[in-house]
Amino acid sequence: TSSNKANDSNDSVVVGVLGGGQLGKMLSMAAAKLGFRTSVFAEHHDDPAVFVTNNSVVGSFVDEEKLQQFAAMVDVVIVEFENIPMSSVNFLQQTVTVCPGAKALYVAQNRIREKEHIKALGVELAEFAVVNNFVELKEAASRVGLPAILKTAESGYDGRGQYMLQNAADIEGLLHISWNKGYVLEKLVAIEKEISVVIALSCNGEHIFFPVAQNLHVAGILHKSEVPAVISEEILLQAEDIALTIAKSLDTLGILAVEFFITRKGALMVNEIAPRPHNSCHWSIDCCNVSQFEQLVRIACGLPLREVHLLTPCIMTNILGNNELGKNVYGDARNSISLYGKKPRTKRKMGHINSLKY
Ligand code: ADP
Ligand code: MG
């Protein structure tokens, strides 16, 4: 609704980007491409998205004064940071549309809620148990069996907050971890392949899929995504169907990514979901007629969805803070590089390279 907008020099739509990370940066660039202005709400002055807008609010995501200031400047809010406190989402929603909706964020923010929600839909997941303390961990380990992975229920990403448990000694080693928050103990799956489905959902109930990507994780962090994934038509359709079922169950708007395992026995299992643009779809910037970011901006601004076509097969490789991949890539004619402009830190996602296979 345009009534929210600080209507200064012109009446162009202002897209509010909540979160200052690389997703917010690429989102802001996509909004600018479509002629929209942007406002970024970031936690730090030097966050990547701050550098591509002339209009940022820097502060804590729970600062209601700042949220109010932000809401007054924008026509719609797109959340790029999944772990925004629900109180802030609800506050913003009083005056402005927030994309995705509260339900998708609420479910995806907590691994226990996420798994229970997906399980209730009748969708296959790795066997898991909820764990709140050391005694429950021991019980869960005997029920689920080892090897297993203990995953923090909240705020984990890129494999952080996860413990691999191979044997009884590994369990004992967790006696003194912080038990203030919940965990999920998940059986280690014999994985043949990992894939992800990214779906775009518009407010008039339409949806469109991006091509399915095949993902290689190293030490819990996405290393490469390849499109198209080498999978059977049957698995492809099944994965798309599950992604759509999950999306509909969450009344979500915008982009939803669903990560899957394909087991060695050929079964499809959901690993996790993200109600936002996904790292495993960054190739869409260079290799599709429309990127996941542009599609999301279109949805948020009430424009029709575009059909998605893969223009060339592609391998996307992440550049992490602790490797050398980022050096000398500017000169490579076949590769399209994106650097996020973050300070290097071990394992931090610094950028990505799309290797086009024309
Ligand atoms: P994050 O939220 O940090 O992305 P994930 O739960 O997606 O964490 O785990 C990261 C990666 O670790 C997965 O993509 C997969 O490669 C591996 N992994 C996670 N859970 C399992 C499991 N139950 N069995 C086998 N591998 C797993
Ligand atoms: Mg993951």
Side-chain angles (χ1 to χ4, degrees), residues 217 259 271-272 278:
H217 291 82
E259 298 178 16
N271 172 28
E272 62 171 355
H278 200 254

Side-chain angles (χ1 to χ4, degrees), residues 217-245:
H217 291 82
V218 175
I221 305 182
L222 184 65
H223 175 48
K224 280 174 194 279
S225 288
E226 185 170 1
V227 272
V230 184
I231 51 174
S232 69
E233 186 72 6
E234 190 190 346
I235 287 282
L236 176 105
L237 293 174
Q238 202 186 334
E240 286 183 342
D241 189 56
I242 291 170
L244 184 59
T245 301

